[in-house]
């Protein structure tokens, strides 16, 4: 029996003696990026109009720090309320009760479709439609009522507007995470005697969190930056605080740099926290993936 052998020109190279392929385009791209970075650094350092001494002067100004605290507070409150309402909306959209599912879908469509700035201005002017806000039985007696102008302050309007927007987005994020869990996981939990509540808390939710955390973290960062919109309703957030100062001193650029620096600091901290949560909820999945890769690598090596 004659065996065919590959000609020398078609023989495979030995991996132990193979050399890394030269990639000149990577070197060219690296040099180009280094030149751009150096030019940007030169521009930032040598342009006196940035007024870095003014930036340093106002970076820890009490009014700026107070505005920063308001910005973070608004983001946390809007995210907390949005998470609770979004979870309820996600459950409603996955419900078998059609009217509840339709109502939740309509809610998400409306509050995702209207720009946040429009919603903030609308809620701030709610007193035009409802001079008095009351609680009672529909078409029946009232239990309590309040003056809408006194109740709807800039803080109230900001919390309502941001929370409604966040709840609509988070509803879709949570719904996608719950749908991403294999239905077989629920069947297995049911076979083990878990109640529906135990199945959700111990099986479905921990697996869904791996899908929910990344977009929810990004949404938290988005609402933090979106709090800058509340300056249009005279809310004393970070942007409004620096605007008050530069309207008095006319040092617009350095004060805007102060705001940018604080936004970057807070977003960086939130990003680190998001990465930690992602690793925490992906531990089992990451370990299983690594184990499968090692198994495949070992079997390929044995076959060779």
């Amino acid at each position: 029996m004659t065996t065919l052998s590959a000609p020398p020109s078609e023989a495979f190279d030995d991996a132990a003696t193979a050399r890394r392929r030269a990639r000149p385009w990577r070197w060219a791209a690296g040099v180009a990026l280094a030149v751009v970075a150096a030019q940007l650094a030169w521009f930032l350092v040598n342009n006196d109009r940035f007024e870095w001494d003014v930036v340093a002067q106002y970076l820890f100004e009490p009014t700026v720090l107070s505005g920063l605290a308001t910005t973070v507070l608004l983001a946390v409150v809007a995210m907390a309320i949005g998470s609770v309402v979004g979870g309820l909306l996600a459950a409603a959209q996955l419900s078998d009760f059609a009217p509840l599912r339709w109502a939740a879908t309509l809610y998400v469509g409306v509050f995702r479709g209207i720009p946040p700035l429009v919603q903030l201005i609308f809620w701030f002017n709610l007193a035009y439609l409802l001079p008095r806000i009351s609680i009672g039985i529909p078409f029946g007696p009232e239990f309590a009522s309040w003056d809408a102008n006194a109740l709807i302050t800039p803080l109230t309007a900001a919390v309502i507007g941001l929370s409604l927007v966040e709840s609509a987005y988070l509803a879709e994020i949570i719904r996608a995470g719950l749908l991403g869990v294999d239905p077989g996981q629920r069947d297995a939990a049911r076979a083990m005697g878990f109640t529906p509540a135990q199945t959700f808390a111990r099986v479905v939710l921990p697996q869904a969190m791996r899908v929910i955390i990344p977009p929810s973290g990004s949404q938290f960062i988005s609402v933090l930056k979106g709090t800058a919109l509340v300056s249009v309703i005279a809310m004393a957030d970070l942007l409004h605080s620096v605007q008050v100062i530069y309207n008095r001193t006319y040092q617009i650029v350095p004060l805007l740099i102060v705001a940018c620096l604080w936004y970057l600091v807070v977003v960086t901290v939130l990003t680190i926290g998001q990465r930690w949560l992602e690793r925490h909820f992906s531990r089992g999945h990451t370990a299983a993936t690594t184990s499968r890769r090692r198994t495949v690598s070992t079997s390929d090596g044995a076959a060779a």
Side-chain angles (χ1 to χ4, degrees), residues 178 181-182 185-190 192-210 281 283-284:
L178 295 176
V181 179
D182 190 345
Q185 298 289 325
R186 297 180 178 86
D187 297 336
R190 205 175 298 119
M192 294 176 64
F194 284 13
T195 64
Q198 290 174 330
T199 300
F200 178 79
R202 298 184 180 182
V203 178
V204 177
L205 186 59
Q207 296 184 64
M209 289 299 288
R210 184 174 55 85
F281 285 101
R283 286 178 301 179

Side-chain angles (χ1 to χ4, degrees), residues 22-106:
R23 293 182 173 88
W25 288 111
R26 289 190 178 185
W27 286 98
V31 171
L33 289 174
V35 171
V36 172
Q39 187 175 11
L40 179 61
W42 178 267
F43 173 72
L44 293 175
V45 172
N46 290 279
N47 192 329
D48 296 335
R49 295 188 177 183
F50 281 109
E51 300 182 71
W52 292 110
D53 56 332
V54 178
V55 173
Q57 176 186 350
Y58 288 104
L59 190 61
F60 296 99
E61 178 74 17
T63 55
V64 173
L65 295 180
S66 176
L68 175 63
T70 301
T71 290
V72 174
L73 177 64
L74 278 176
V76 171
V77 172
M79 196 67 183
I81 297 175
S83 298
V84 174
V85 178
L88 295 175
L89 289 170
Q93 290 188 94
L94 297 174
S95 172
D96 295 332
F97 186 49
L100 184 62
R101 187 172 63 250
W102 297 337
T105 303
L106 178 62

Side-chain angles (χ1 to χ4, degrees), residues 12-19:
F12 292 103
D13 292 334
D14 187 358
T17 60
R19 296 181 179 180

